[in-house]
Short mmCIF file of all heavy atoms in Angstrom, two decimals:
data_model
loop_
_atom_site.label_atom_id
_atom_site.label_comp_id
_atom_site.label_asym_id
_atom_site.label_seq_id
_atom_site.Cartn_x
_atom_site.Cartn_y
_atom_site.Cartn_z
N MET A 1 120.45 44.07 52.43
CA MET A 1 119.66 43.68 53.63
C MET A 1 118.80 44.85 53.97
O MET A 1 119.22 46.02 54.05
CB MET A 1 120.60 43.32 54.74
CG MET A 1 119.92 43.01 56.01
SD MET A 1 121.04 42.48 57.24
CE MET A 1 120.24 42.90 58.68
N LEU A 2 117.52 44.55 54.33
CA LEU A 2 116.63 45.57 54.75
C LEU A 2 116.96 45.92 56.26
O LEU A 2 117.30 45.09 57.05
CB LEU A 2 115.18 45.11 54.69
CG LEU A 2 114.61 44.76 53.33
CD1 LEU A 2 113.22 44.18 53.49
CD2 LEU A 2 114.56 46.10 52.52
N LYS A 3 116.88 47.20 56.58
CA LYS A 3 117.10 47.66 57.90
C LYS A 3 115.80 48.09 58.52
O LYS A 3 114.99 48.73 57.84
CB LYS A 3 118.09 48.85 57.92
CG LYS A 3 119.55 48.45 57.63
CD LYS A 3 120.46 49.59 57.78
CE LYS A 3 121.86 49.27 57.47
NZ LYS A 3 122.75 50.43 57.69
N PRO A 4 115.62 47.87 59.83
CA PRO A 4 114.41 48.29 60.46
C PRO A 4 114.41 49.85 60.57
O PRO A 4 115.52 50.42 60.59
CB PRO A 4 114.43 47.66 61.80
CG PRO A 4 115.86 47.32 62.04
CD PRO A 4 116.45 47.11 60.70
N HIS A 5 113.27 50.42 60.71
CA HIS A 5 113.17 51.83 60.94
C HIS A 5 113.86 52.17 62.23
O HIS A 5 113.73 51.49 63.22
CB HIS A 5 111.68 52.25 60.98
CG HIS A 5 111.51 53.72 60.96
ND1 HIS A 5 111.66 54.53 62.02
CD2 HIS A 5 111.27 54.54 59.89
CE1 HIS A 5 111.46 55.81 61.71
NE2 HIS A 5 111.22 55.85 60.37
N PRO A 6 114.60 53.23 62.27
CA PRO A 6 115.38 53.61 63.48
C PRO A 6 114.53 53.75 64.72
O PRO A 6 114.91 53.39 65.79
CB PRO A 6 115.99 55.00 63.14
CG PRO A 6 116.13 55.00 61.69
CD PRO A 6 114.90 54.15 61.14
N THR A 7 113.25 54.28 64.61
CA THR A 7 112.42 54.40 65.81
C THR A 7 112.05 53.05 66.30
O THR A 7 112.09 52.78 67.55
CB THR A 7 111.15 55.18 65.39
OG1 THR A 7 111.50 56.43 64.90
CG2 THR A 7 110.24 55.35 66.52
N VAL A 8 111.74 52.06 65.46
CA VAL A 8 111.43 50.69 65.88
C VAL A 8 112.58 50.04 66.53
O VAL A 8 112.53 49.49 67.62
CB VAL A 8 110.85 49.84 64.67
CG1 VAL A 8 110.66 48.43 65.08
CG2 VAL A 8 109.63 50.50 64.10
N LEU A 9 113.75 50.21 65.90
CA LEU A 9 114.96 49.61 66.40
C LEU A 9 115.31 50.15 67.76
O LEU A 9 115.66 49.42 68.70
CB LEU A 9 116.14 49.80 65.42
CG LEU A 9 117.44 49.05 65.70
CD1 LEU A 9 117.21 47.55 65.74
CD2 LEU A 9 118.46 49.40 64.64
N ARG A 10 115.19 51.47 67.93
CA ARG A 10 115.50 52.13 69.23
C ARG A 10 114.57 51.62 70.26
O ARG A 10 115.01 51.32 71.37
CB ARG A 10 115.36 53.67 69.03
CG ARG A 10 115.81 54.43 70.29
CD ARG A 10 115.78 55.96 70.06
NE ARG A 10 116.81 56.32 69.15
CZ ARG A 10 116.60 56.69 67.87
NH1 ARG A 10 115.33 56.68 67.37
NH2 ARG A 10 117.60 57.02 67.06
N ARG A 11 113.29 51.45 69.96
CA ARG A 11 112.31 50.96 70.97
C ARG A 11 112.69 49.52 71.41
O ARG A 11 112.55 49.18 72.59
CB ARG A 11 110.91 50.99 70.42
CG ARG A 11 110.39 52.41 70.37
CD ARG A 11 108.92 52.36 69.82
NE ARG A 11 108.51 53.74 69.68
CZ ARG A 11 107.57 54.17 68.87
NH1 ARG A 11 106.91 53.23 68.13
NH2 ARG A 11 107.23 55.38 68.69
N LEU A 12 113.06 48.69 70.39
CA LEU A 12 113.42 47.28 70.71
C LEU A 12 114.66 47.31 71.65
O LEU A 12 114.68 46.57 72.64
CB LEU A 12 113.80 46.50 69.47
CG LEU A 12 112.62 46.19 68.54
CD1 LEU A 12 113.08 45.67 67.21
CD2 LEU A 12 111.65 45.19 69.24
N VAL A 13 115.66 48.07 71.35
CA VAL A 13 116.87 48.07 72.13
C VAL A 13 116.55 48.59 73.59
O VAL A 13 116.93 47.99 74.61
CB VAL A 13 117.98 48.90 71.48
CG1 VAL A 13 119.15 49.19 72.44
CG2 VAL A 13 118.47 48.31 70.24
N GLU A 14 115.77 49.69 73.66
CA GLU A 14 115.48 50.26 74.94
C GLU A 14 114.66 49.28 75.78
O GLU A 14 114.89 49.17 77.00
CB GLU A 14 114.71 51.56 74.79
CG GLU A 14 115.64 52.73 74.28
CD GLU A 14 114.85 53.97 73.94
OE1 GLU A 14 113.60 53.96 74.00
OE2 GLU A 14 115.53 54.93 73.50
N GLU A 15 113.66 48.60 75.22
CA GLU A 15 112.90 47.63 75.92
C GLU A 15 113.71 46.48 76.42
O GLU A 15 113.58 46.03 77.58
CB GLU A 15 111.69 47.18 75.13
CG GLU A 15 110.73 46.33 75.95
CD GLU A 15 109.47 45.81 75.18
OE1 GLU A 15 109.28 46.26 74.02
OE2 GLU A 15 108.73 45.08 75.82
N TYR A 16 114.58 45.98 75.57
CA TYR A 16 115.42 44.88 75.90
C TYR A 16 116.35 45.28 77.09
O TYR A 16 116.48 44.51 78.04
CB TYR A 16 116.26 44.44 74.73
CG TYR A 16 117.18 43.27 75.07
CD1 TYR A 16 116.75 41.96 74.98
CD2 TYR A 16 118.47 43.49 75.51
CE1 TYR A 16 117.51 40.87 75.36
CE2 TYR A 16 119.32 42.41 75.82
CZ TYR A 16 118.84 41.14 75.78
OH TYR A 16 119.64 40.11 76.12
N GLU A 17 116.95 46.41 77.01
CA GLU A 17 117.87 46.87 78.07
C GLU A 17 117.09 47.15 79.36
O GLU A 17 117.63 46.77 80.43
CB GLU A 17 118.57 48.16 77.62
CG GLU A 17 119.59 47.92 76.54
CD GLU A 17 120.23 49.17 75.98
OE1 GLU A 17 119.66 50.26 76.15
OE2 GLU A 17 121.28 48.95 75.36
N THR A 18 115.88 47.61 79.27
CA THR A 18 115.11 47.90 80.50
C THR A 18 114.77 46.57 81.21
O THR A 18 114.89 46.44 82.42
CB THR A 18 113.77 48.67 80.14
OG1 THR A 18 114.19 49.87 79.57
CG2 THR A 18 112.93 48.86 81.37
N LEU A 19 114.32 45.59 80.40
CA LEU A 19 113.91 44.34 80.97
C LEU A 19 115.13 43.51 81.58
O LEU A 19 115.00 42.90 82.58
CB LEU A 19 113.17 43.48 79.97
CG LEU A 19 111.67 43.98 79.61
CD1 LEU A 19 111.11 43.18 78.53
CD2 LEU A 19 110.85 43.98 80.82
N THR A 20 116.21 43.55 80.84
CA THR A 20 117.37 42.89 81.35
C THR A 20 118.03 43.53 82.51
O THR A 20 118.57 42.86 83.42
CB THR A 20 118.45 42.66 80.25
OG1 THR A 20 118.83 43.92 79.69
CG2 THR A 20 117.92 41.74 79.11
N ALA A 21 117.87 44.82 82.62
CA ALA A 21 118.36 45.57 83.81
C ALA A 21 117.52 45.23 85.01
O ALA A 21 118.03 45.16 86.14
CB ALA A 21 118.46 47.04 83.57
N ALA A 22 116.21 45.04 84.84
CA ALA A 22 115.26 44.72 85.88
C ALA A 22 115.46 43.29 86.38
O ALA A 22 115.14 43.00 87.55
CB ALA A 22 113.85 44.92 85.40
N GLY A 23 116.06 42.46 85.60
CA GLY A 23 116.24 41.07 86.01
C GLY A 23 114.98 40.26 85.97
O GLY A 23 114.02 40.60 85.29
N SER A 24 114.93 39.16 86.71
CA SER A 24 113.82 38.28 86.78
C SER A 24 112.78 38.79 87.74
O SER A 24 113.07 39.27 88.83
CB SER A 24 114.25 36.89 87.14
OG SER A 24 115.12 36.43 86.19
N GLY A 25 111.58 38.54 87.43
CA GLY A 25 110.44 38.83 88.31
C GLY A 25 110.18 37.68 89.30
O GLY A 25 110.87 36.65 89.20
N PRO A 26 109.23 37.82 90.14
CA PRO A 26 108.89 36.69 91.05
C PRO A 26 108.51 35.41 90.39
O PRO A 26 108.67 34.26 90.89
CB PRO A 26 107.82 37.26 92.01
CG PRO A 26 107.33 38.49 91.31
CD PRO A 26 108.35 38.92 90.28
N ALA A 27 107.93 35.48 89.18
CA ALA A 27 107.50 34.27 88.46
C ALA A 27 108.55 33.74 87.50
O ALA A 27 108.28 32.87 86.75
CB ALA A 27 106.24 34.70 87.62
N GLY A 28 109.79 34.23 87.64
CA GLY A 28 110.87 33.76 86.83
C GLY A 28 111.22 34.72 85.71
O GLY A 28 110.73 35.91 85.76
N PRO A 29 112.09 34.36 84.81
CA PRO A 29 112.49 35.25 83.74
C PRO A 29 111.39 35.72 82.88
O PRO A 29 110.35 34.91 82.59
CB PRO A 29 113.46 34.41 82.90
CG PRO A 29 113.77 33.18 83.66
CD PRO A 29 112.65 33.03 84.67
N ASN A 30 111.44 36.92 82.41
CA ASN A 30 110.35 37.49 81.59
C ASN A 30 110.47 36.90 80.17
O ASN A 30 111.51 37.07 79.55
CB ASN A 30 110.51 39.01 81.54
CG ASN A 30 109.35 39.69 80.86
OD1 ASN A 30 108.71 39.13 80.00
ND2 ASN A 30 109.07 40.89 81.28
N PRO A 31 109.45 36.26 79.70
CA PRO A 31 109.53 35.65 78.29
C PRO A 31 109.71 36.73 77.23
O PRO A 31 110.18 36.45 76.12
CB PRO A 31 108.22 34.89 78.15
CG PRO A 31 107.30 35.43 79.20
CD PRO A 31 108.16 35.92 80.30
N ARG A 32 109.34 37.87 77.51
CA ARG A 32 109.47 39.04 76.56
C ARG A 32 110.93 39.26 76.22
O ARG A 32 111.26 39.65 75.05
CB ARG A 32 108.77 40.31 77.10
CG ARG A 32 108.91 41.48 76.21
CD ARG A 32 107.94 41.46 75.10
NE ARG A 32 107.95 42.65 74.30
CZ ARG A 32 108.02 42.74 72.95
NH1 ARG A 32 107.93 41.65 72.26
NH2 ARG A 32 108.05 43.91 72.37
N ILE A 33 111.79 39.01 77.15
CA ILE A 33 113.26 39.20 76.86
C ILE A 33 113.69 38.33 75.74
O ILE A 33 114.41 38.78 74.80
CB ILE A 33 114.14 38.98 78.13
CG1 ILE A 33 113.78 40.02 79.17
CG2 ILE A 33 115.63 38.87 77.85
CD1 ILE A 33 114.43 39.74 80.57
N GLY A 34 113.22 37.05 75.68
CA GLY A 34 113.62 36.13 74.62
C GLY A 34 113.06 36.56 73.30
O GLY A 34 113.68 36.50 72.21
N ASP A 35 111.82 37.06 73.39
CA ASP A 35 111.19 37.60 72.15
C ASP A 35 111.95 38.78 71.55
O ASP A 35 112.16 38.88 70.36
CB ASP A 35 109.71 37.99 72.41
CG ASP A 35 108.82 36.85 72.78
OD1 ASP A 35 109.23 35.69 72.47
OD2 ASP A 35 107.75 37.13 73.28
N LEU A 36 112.33 39.68 72.44
CA LEU A 36 113.09 40.87 72.02
C LEU A 36 114.44 40.48 71.46
O LEU A 36 114.90 41.03 70.42
CB LEU A 36 113.27 41.82 73.17
CG LEU A 36 111.97 42.57 73.58
CD1 LEU A 36 112.14 43.25 74.93
CD2 LEU A 36 111.56 43.61 72.53
N ALA A 37 115.12 39.52 72.11
CA ALA A 37 116.41 39.08 71.68
C ALA A 37 116.27 38.49 70.24
O ALA A 37 117.15 38.81 69.35
CB ALA A 37 117.01 38.05 72.66
N TYR A 38 115.32 37.66 70.02
CA TYR A 38 115.08 37.06 68.75
C TYR A 38 114.85 38.12 67.65
O TYR A 38 115.43 38.11 66.59
CB TYR A 38 113.90 36.08 68.82
CG TYR A 38 113.55 35.53 67.46
CD1 TYR A 38 114.24 34.51 66.89
CD2 TYR A 38 112.47 36.05 66.76
CE1 TYR A 38 113.90 34.04 65.58
CE2 TYR A 38 112.11 35.57 65.47
CZ TYR A 38 112.83 34.54 64.91
OH TYR A 38 112.53 34.08 63.71
N THR A 39 113.93 39.06 67.98
CA THR A 39 113.57 40.10 67.05
C THR A 39 114.80 41.00 66.73
O THR A 39 114.97 41.34 65.54
CB THR A 39 112.43 40.99 67.64
OG1 THR A 39 111.34 40.14 67.89
CG2 THR A 39 112.03 42.05 66.62
N LEU A 40 115.58 41.33 67.69
CA LEU A 40 116.78 42.13 67.43
C LEU A 40 117.79 41.36 66.61
O LEU A 40 118.39 41.90 65.68
CB LEU A 40 117.44 42.54 68.80
CG LEU A 40 116.74 43.68 69.50
CD1 LEU A 40 117.19 43.76 70.97
CD2 LEU A 40 117.04 45.05 68.79
N CYS A 41 117.97 40.05 66.82
CA CYS A 41 118.84 39.30 66.03
C CYS A 41 118.35 39.16 64.55
O CYS A 41 119.19 39.40 63.65
CB CYS A 41 119.02 37.89 66.55
SG CYS A 41 120.00 37.80 68.08
N VAL A 42 117.10 38.96 64.38
CA VAL A 42 116.55 38.95 62.97
C VAL A 42 116.65 40.28 62.33
O VAL A 42 117.03 40.36 61.17
CB VAL A 42 115.08 38.44 63.03
CG1 VAL A 42 114.40 38.56 61.67
CG2 VAL A 42 115.03 36.97 63.45
N SER A 43 116.39 41.32 63.07
CA SER A 43 116.37 42.71 62.54
C SER A 43 117.80 43.15 62.11
O SER A 43 117.94 43.98 61.22
CB SER A 43 115.79 43.73 63.53
OG SER A 43 114.48 43.36 63.85
N THR A 44 118.72 42.60 62.77
CA THR A 44 120.17 43.05 62.42
C THR A 44 120.94 41.98 61.69
O THR A 44 122.10 42.22 61.38
CB THR A 44 120.91 43.33 63.81
OG1 THR A 44 120.91 42.14 64.64
CG2 THR A 44 120.28 44.54 64.51
N GLY A 45 120.36 40.85 61.39
CA GLY A 45 121.04 39.81 60.63
C GLY A 45 122.15 39.13 61.41
O GLY A 45 123.12 38.70 60.82
N THR A 46 121.93 39.03 62.73
CA THR A 46 122.93 38.36 63.58
C THR A 46 122.31 37.21 64.27
O THR A 46 121.11 36.93 64.17
CB THR A 46 123.48 39.35 64.65
OG1 THR A 46 122.37 39.80 65.47
CG2 THR A 46 124.13 40.61 64.05
N ARG A 47 123.12 36.40 65.01
CA ARG A 47 122.63 35.23 65.68
C ARG A 47 122.86 35.27 67.19
O ARG A 47 122.58 34.30 67.85
CB ARG A 47 123.27 34.01 65.07
CG ARG A 47 122.94 33.85 63.58
CD ARG A 47 123.46 32.57 63.05
NE ARG A 47 122.60 31.50 63.62
CZ ARG A 47 122.63 30.24 63.12
NH1 ARG A 47 123.52 29.93 62.24
NH2 ARG A 47 121.86 29.32 63.66
N ASP A 48 123.46 36.36 67.59
CA ASP A 48 123.78 36.43 69.08
C ASP A 48 123.33 37.84 69.54
O ASP A 48 123.59 38.84 68.84
CB ASP A 48 125.32 36.33 69.22
CG ASP A 48 125.80 36.44 70.64
OD1 ASP A 48 125.97 37.57 71.10
OD2 ASP A 48 125.86 35.42 71.35
N ILE A 49 122.68 37.90 70.63
CA ILE A 49 122.08 39.14 71.16
C ILE A 49 123.18 40.18 71.34
O ILE A 49 122.94 41.37 71.13
CB ILE A 49 121.24 38.93 72.36
CG1 ILE A 49 120.50 40.26 72.77
CG2 ILE A 49 122.02 38.39 73.60
CD1 ILE A 49 119.61 40.81 71.76
N ARG A 50 124.39 39.76 71.76
CA ARG A 50 125.42 40.77 71.98
C ARG A 50 125.79 41.49 70.64
O ARG A 50 125.99 42.66 70.59
CB ARG A 50 126.69 40.13 72.62
CG ARG A 50 126.39 39.65 74.04
CD ARG A 50 127.55 38.82 74.54
NE ARG A 50 127.54 37.56 73.71
CZ ARG A 50 128.30 36.59 73.87
NH1 ARG A 50 129.26 36.62 74.80
NH2 ARG A 50 128.21 35.51 73.10
N HIS A 51 125.88 40.69 69.61
CA HIS A 51 126.21 41.25 68.31
C HIS A 51 125.01 42.08 67.77
O HIS A 51 125.22 43.08 67.11
CB HIS A 51 126.52 40.16 67.29
CG HIS A 51 127.77 39.36 67.66
ND1 HIS A 51 127.82 37.99 67.51
CD2 HIS A 51 128.91 39.75 68.15
CE1 HIS A 51 129.03 37.57 67.94
NE2 HIS A 51 129.72 38.67 68.33
N ALA A 52 123.85 41.59 68.04
CA ALA A 52 122.64 42.35 67.64
C ALA A 52 122.60 43.71 68.26
O ALA A 52 122.31 44.72 67.63
CB ALA A 52 121.38 41.55 67.98
N LEU A 53 122.86 43.79 69.53
CA LEU A 53 122.89 45.03 70.19
C LEU A 53 123.95 45.99 69.76
O LEU A 53 123.78 47.21 69.50
CB LEU A 53 123.03 44.84 71.74
CG LEU A 53 121.79 44.28 72.45
CD1 LEU A 53 122.11 43.85 73.89
CD2 LEU A 53 120.59 45.21 72.41
N THR A 54 125.15 45.40 69.51
CA THR A 54 126.25 46.22 68.98
C THR A 54 125.92 46.75 67.59
O THR A 54 126.10 47.95 67.34
CB THR A 54 127.57 45.36 68.90
OG1 THR A 54 127.89 44.95 70.19
CG2 THR A 54 128.67 46.15 68.31
N THR A 55 125.32 45.87 66.74
CA THR A 55 124.91 46.33 65.42
C THR A 55 123.85 47.43 65.44
O THR A 55 123.88 48.41 64.77
CB THR A 55 124.46 45.12 64.54
OG1 THR A 55 125.53 44.16 64.50
CG2 THR A 55 124.07 45.53 63.18
N ALA A 56 122.81 47.15 66.32
CA ALA A 56 121.70 48.07 66.37
C ALA A 56 122.24 49.46 66.93
O ALA A 56 121.81 50.47 66.38
CB ALA A 56 120.66 47.50 67.36
N ARG A 57 123.02 49.44 67.88
CA ARG A 57 123.55 50.70 68.41
C ARG A 57 124.39 51.42 67.36
O ARG A 57 124.35 52.68 67.26
CB ARG A 57 124.42 50.42 69.62
CG ARG A 57 123.56 50.10 70.84
CD ARG A 57 124.47 49.78 72.08
NE ARG A 57 123.67 49.25 73.14
CZ ARG A 57 123.92 48.17 73.78
NH1 ARG A 57 125.00 47.48 73.47
NH2 ARG A 57 123.15 47.69 74.76
N GLY A 58 125.16 50.70 66.56
CA GLY A 58 125.94 51.29 65.52
C GLY A 58 125.05 51.98 64.47
O GLY A 58 125.32 53.10 63.98
N TRP A 59 123.95 51.23 64.02
CA TRP A 59 123.02 51.79 63.08
C TRP A 59 122.33 53.04 63.63
O TRP A 59 122.15 53.98 62.92
CB TRP A 59 121.96 50.75 62.68
CG TRP A 59 122.47 49.60 61.83
CD1 TRP A 59 123.77 49.54 61.24
CD2 TRP A 59 121.76 48.50 61.45
NE1 TRP A 59 123.83 48.35 60.58
CE2 TRP A 59 122.64 47.66 60.64
CE3 TRP A 59 120.51 47.98 61.72
CZ2 TRP A 59 122.26 46.46 60.13
CZ3 TRP A 59 120.14 46.74 61.23
CH2 TRP A 59 121.00 46.02 60.43
N LEU A 60 121.94 52.99 64.90
CA LEU A 60 121.28 54.09 65.51
C LEU A 60 122.21 55.30 65.64
O LEU A 60 121.74 56.42 65.47
CB LEU A 60 120.73 53.71 66.89
CG LEU A 60 119.56 52.75 66.84
CD1 LEU A 60 119.22 52.22 68.23
CD2 LEU A 60 118.33 53.30 66.21
N ALA A 61 123.48 55.05 65.89
CA ALA A 61 124.45 56.16 65.97
C ALA A 61 124.60 56.86 64.56
O ALA A 61 124.84 58.06 64.54
CB ALA A 61 125.76 55.62 66.47
N THR A 62 124.45 56.09 63.53
CA THR A 62 124.62 56.72 62.21
C THR A 62 123.34 57.33 61.67
O THR A 62 123.36 58.12 60.68
CB THR A 62 125.06 55.65 61.18
OG1 THR A 62 124.13 54.70 61.07
CG2 THR A 62 126.40 55.07 61.55
N THR A 63 122.17 57.14 62.28
CA THR A 63 120.94 57.73 61.84
C THR A 63 120.88 59.17 62.15
O THR A 63 120.26 59.94 61.50
CB THR A 63 119.67 57.01 62.38
OG1 THR A 63 119.76 57.04 63.82
CG2 THR A 63 119.63 55.58 61.84
N GLY A 64 121.46 59.58 63.33
CA GLY A 64 121.48 60.94 63.70
C GLY A 64 120.19 61.51 64.09
O GLY A 64 119.20 60.82 64.21
N GLN A 65 120.21 62.83 64.36
CA GLN A 65 119.00 63.52 64.86
C GLN A 65 117.91 63.58 63.88
O GLN A 65 116.75 63.62 64.20
CB GLN A 65 119.42 64.92 65.26
CG GLN A 65 118.31 65.68 66.02
CD GLN A 65 117.97 65.07 67.36
OE1 GLN A 65 118.77 64.45 68.00
NE2 GLN A 65 116.70 65.29 67.72
N ASP A 66 118.25 63.56 62.56
CA ASP A 66 117.20 63.63 61.50
C ASP A 66 116.17 62.55 61.67
O ASP A 66 114.94 62.80 61.48
CB ASP A 66 117.84 63.67 60.12
CG ASP A 66 118.71 64.86 59.87
OD1 ASP A 66 118.46 65.93 60.53
OD2 ASP A 66 119.62 64.83 59.11
N ALA A 67 116.58 61.38 61.89
CA ALA A 67 115.67 60.22 61.98
C ALA A 67 114.75 60.38 63.19
O ALA A 67 113.56 60.06 63.14
CB ALA A 67 116.40 58.89 62.06
N ARG A 68 115.32 60.87 64.28
CA ARG A 68 114.49 61.01 65.50
C ARG A 68 113.42 62.13 65.24
O ARG A 68 112.28 62.00 65.66
CB ARG A 68 115.33 61.40 66.70
CG ARG A 68 116.09 60.24 67.28
CD ARG A 68 116.80 60.54 68.57
NE ARG A 68 117.91 61.39 68.32
CZ ARG A 68 119.15 60.96 68.05
NH1 ARG A 68 119.37 59.65 67.89
NH2 ARG A 68 120.14 61.85 67.87
N GLU A 69 113.82 63.15 64.61
CA GLU A 69 112.87 64.26 64.29
C GLU A 69 111.80 63.86 63.33
O GLU A 69 110.59 64.20 63.47
CB GLU A 69 113.58 65.49 63.77
CG GLU A 69 114.46 66.15 64.86
CD GLU A 69 115.37 67.22 64.27
OE1 GLU A 69 115.32 67.44 63.03
OE2 GLU A 69 116.08 67.86 65.10
N ALA A 70 112.12 63.01 62.34
CA ALA A 70 111.17 62.61 61.32
C ALA A 70 110.16 61.66 61.98
O ALA A 70 108.99 61.57 61.51
CB ALA A 70 111.94 61.91 60.18
N ALA A 71 110.60 60.93 62.98
CA ALA A 71 109.64 59.97 63.62
C ALA A 71 108.68 60.63 64.69
O ALA A 71 107.73 60.02 65.03
CB ALA A 71 110.45 58.89 64.34
N THR A 72 108.98 61.86 65.08
CA THR A 72 108.18 62.53 66.03
C THR A 72 107.02 63.23 65.30
O THR A 72 107.25 64.10 64.38
CB THR A 72 109.03 63.62 66.79
OG1 THR A 72 110.18 62.93 67.35
CG2 THR A 72 108.22 64.28 67.87
N PRO A 73 105.82 62.98 65.77
CA PRO A 73 104.65 63.62 65.04
C PRO A 73 104.68 65.12 65.38
O PRO A 73 104.99 65.57 66.41
CB PRO A 73 103.45 62.93 65.66
CG PRO A 73 103.86 62.13 66.77
CD PRO A 73 105.38 61.99 66.69
N ALA A 74 104.28 65.90 64.37
CA ALA A 74 104.21 67.37 64.52
C ALA A 74 103.07 67.69 65.46
O ALA A 74 102.02 67.10 65.45
CB ALA A 74 103.98 67.97 63.16
N SER A 75 103.35 68.69 66.30
CA SER A 75 102.30 69.12 67.22
C SER A 75 101.31 69.99 66.50
O SER A 75 101.65 70.72 65.51
CB SER A 75 102.87 69.84 68.41
OG SER A 75 103.60 71.00 67.87
N VAL A 76 100.03 69.98 66.93
CA VAL A 76 98.99 70.66 66.25
C VAL A 76 98.74 71.98 66.94
O VAL A 76 98.79 72.13 68.06
CB VAL A 76 97.68 69.77 66.20
CG1 VAL A 76 96.50 70.55 65.54
CG2 VAL A 76 98.00 68.53 65.52
#
């Protein structure tokens, strides 16, 4: 199974957690939450957002600092 790049996966998890923590806006639930849940499930090979988040966090924990440093552009 192909795994998403750790930087991409981290951004998806962070955005999902931020939006779900904020709850619904005045116009109702944010449709982006559903999009993120779907993308996280597809990216992790799961069918439930709880499992997707658990899997994503596990993968991110094993990537370590090296992946974060490689994804950061070098300063000029």
